Amino acid sequence: MLTDKAGKDAYEASTTGISAENPRRTGGNLVQLISANGERISHPEFDLWVSDVTDEQLCSLYEDMTVIRRIDAESTALQRQGELALWPPLLGQEASQIGSARALRDDDFVFPSYRDNGVAYCRGVDPLDMVRAWRGNASFGWDPYRYNIATQQIMIGSQTLHATGYAMGIQNDGADSAAVAYFGDGATSEGDVNEAMVFAASFQAPVVFICQNNHWAISEPVRLQSHIQIADRALGFGIPSIRVDGNDVLAVMAVTRIALDRARKGGGPTFIEAVTYRMGPHTTADDPTRYRDANELEDWRAKDPIARLKTLLLTKGLLTDEAEARVRAKADEVANKLRSGCVNMPDPAPLDLFNHVYSTPNSWIERQKDHYSRYLESFSGSTQEGAL
């Protein structure tokens, strides 16, 4: 279990090698249980937290990552073909999302960013619901309380405040569930994230902050915005932190379980830095070739999260040709259903714009709705459903 002492020890270890001449952190141990070439690494302190993961569950994690990569590729293609207005690819970050999400309980509540579709998939969200807002057919994709995951946050870092507030509510209720916030390395430079950590530390809220350090905050490298490792920022707030290989699904699961256990037992917040890489663009409106070295991308392709788990499964004799075919068939089935549902998604009625703005009736909204309705009716032969 990660304790306050563990956080203190991590801080003391992290200061090694820092001097006035060399103030930047250049190393730092990553928790890793599966190497980049697919070898299982023994780490007694963390092996304990995944000792119950069976061979069947390892194969299931492989399927999850394969399916969500296929969903991501299909959604990217749909945007390129004009079916979606925009799409934020998660290519390369599958392990950090799947490994952490599969560690959660059903009663934990997740606050994701716009890129965390792998987390939404693990919570049971229909892939079609992931693209509704990006198609412009809805202002949100799913019912947060059905899946215990909030709708995706576009404002950078704001979801950390929401997660901390929710976690404080968990404390007031006397429950042992946890709130989990996902965000990128760029978000750690936002005021919202820092304010969230102040409150989380002050009230020892049961919240887990999961920073997916994908090395690029749009077009700015992480080394520009932080001269120390991202995880070290949390220590300044009194929050224990841990760095994990974000392309290692098993290691991510282990550290997330540790953080959740700490939260459930009243130990307060934990900050996880999952070191991964965004292999695609920031969004489909971005061109990463303008700011990123191609050699850097190739270096990270060699650390691909799906490929390394596949190698491990092949070594263990778990991924037969039949099993691989089933995974591919599942991925194709999900992608085909997503494409069909997206292309044939009905357009919303004009007055749907006023739905779900407030949870209870609101006279201000009703007045606008009435005015707009009468405006639509002013067009001869038009209907509310077809006027636009």
Side-chain angles (χ1 to χ4, degrees):
M1 177 179 174
L2 189 63
T3 63
D4 286 327
K5 182 178 183 302
K8 180 175 181 294
D9 291 345
Y11 173 76
E12 291 174 350
S14 73
T15 58
T16 303
I18 296 178
S19 65
E21 293 75 27
N22 181 27
R24 290 176 181 254
R25 285 284 304 281
T26 57
N29 294 326
L30 289 175
V31 177
Q32 189 180 77
L33 298 179
I34 303 174
S35 70
N37 58 8
E39 294 180 0
R40 180 68 167 88
I41 301 171
S42 178
H43 200 316
E45 180 182 353
F46 297 98
D47 286 343
L48 173 68
W49 292 94
V50 289
S51 60
D52 62 325
V53 176
T54 65
D55 289 344
E56 181 181 359
Q57 288 170 324
L58 271 180
C59 292
S60 180
L61 291 171
Y62 175 74
E63 178 184 296
D64 285 341
M65 291 196 292
T66 302
V67 170
I68 193 58
R69 178 170 289 188
R70 185 73 172 83
I71 290 172
D72 190 61
E74 195 68 32
S75 299
T76 300
L78 284 166
Q79 192 284 325
R80 298 305 190 198
Q81 294 158 9
E83 299 295 342
L84 299 179
L86 190 71
W87 181 254
L90 60 80
L91 181 65
Q93 297 181 221
E94 294 87 358
S96 61
Q97 295 189 21
I98 300 300
S100 57
R102 287 304 185 195
L104 305 177
R105 286 193 332 211
D106 290 343
D107 61 337
D108 295 326
F109 207 101
V110 179
F111 295 84
S113 75
Y114 48 82
R115 201 184 303 280
D116 299 313
N117 293 297
V119 181
Y121 175 77
C122 290
R123 299 304 275 178
V125 174
D126 188 318
L128 185 60
D129 289 336
M130 300 177 193
V131 302
R132 291 188 188 278
W134 299 111
R135 188 171 171 82
N137 282 48
S139 57
F140 54 89
W142 57 82
D143 178 357
Y145 297 104
R146 178 179 177 185
Y147 305 104
N148 270 12
I149 177 172
T151 51
Q152 292 167 313
Q153 179 61 257
I154 302 297
M155 295 296 293
I156 305 298
S158 297
Q159 68 273 20
T160 58
L161 288 170
H162 308 157
T164 300
Y166 191 95
M168 291 167 67
I170 291 173
Q171 280 182 317
N172 291 337
D173 291 342
D176 71 341
S177 54
V180 182
Y182 287 84
F183 50 95
D185 50 287
T188 61
S189 296
E190 292 286 342
D192 284 358
V193 175
N194 291 272
E195 291 162 11
M197 288 196 285
V198 167
F199 273 83
S202 297
F203 293 95
Q204 288 294 282
V207 57
V208 179
F209 297 109
I210 299 180
C211 173
Q212 295 176 80
N213 178 1
N214 65 22
H215 286 75
W216 289 95
I218 306 184
S219 59
E220 299 293 357
V222 67
R223 64 180 179 273
L224 177 64
Q225 63 174 315
S226 181
H227 288 200
I228 60 173
Q229 289 172 351
I230 294 291
D232 292 344
R233 288 183 166 185
L235 297 172
F237 295 94
I239 298 177
S241 64
I242 191 167
R243 300 180 75 239
V244 63
D245 184 342
N247 286 7
D248 177 349
V249 68
L250 203 58
V252 172
M253 177 176 285
V255 300
T256 305
R257 284 180 166 183
I258 290 171
L260 289 169
D261 183 70
R262 182 171 187 273
R264 301 192 202 289
K265 292 180 177 178
T270 303
F271 187 102
I272 295 171
E273 179 191 353
V275 181
T276 181
Y277 193 79
R278 168 171 60 79
M279 292 200 287
H282 177 72
T283 70
T284 47
D286 171 44
D287 178 10
T289 63
R290 296 177 63 185
Y291 55 81
R292 191 168 64 187
D293 189 332
N295 292 327
E296 178 181 295
L297 180 60
E298 287 307 308
D299 288 343
W300 279 93
R301 286 191 191 281
K303 304 174 184 178
D304 185 281
I306 297 179
R308 72 169 67 181
L309 181 57
K310 180 178 181 178
T311 299
L312 177 64
L313 295 176
L314 288 170
T315 301
K316 293 168 67 71
L318 299 174
L319 193 62
T320 62
D321 291 342
E322 293 77 13
E324 176 74 4
R326 285 196 299 271
V327 170
R328 296 298 172 187
K330 172 68 177 295
D332 287 342
E333 177 187 1
V334 172
N336 291 337
K337 183 180 177 181
L338 169 63
R339 170 169 287 276
S340 175
C342 178
V343 172
N344 296 295
M345 189 182 296
D347 292 334
L351 293 182
D352 286 350
L353 176 68
F354 300 95
N355 296 340
H356 309 295
V357 177
Y358 290 97
S359 60
T360 57
N362 181 280
S363 60
W364 184 59
I365 290 295
E366 291 301 320
R367 180 173 178 270
Q368 292 185 64
K369 183 176 181 180
D370 175 64
H371 285 190
Y372 190 51
S373 177
R374 287 189 280 119
Y375 167 74
L376 294 177
E377 290 171 356
S378 71
F379 294 92
S380 177
S382 68
T383 65
Q384 292 179 6
E385 287 73 24
L388 296 186

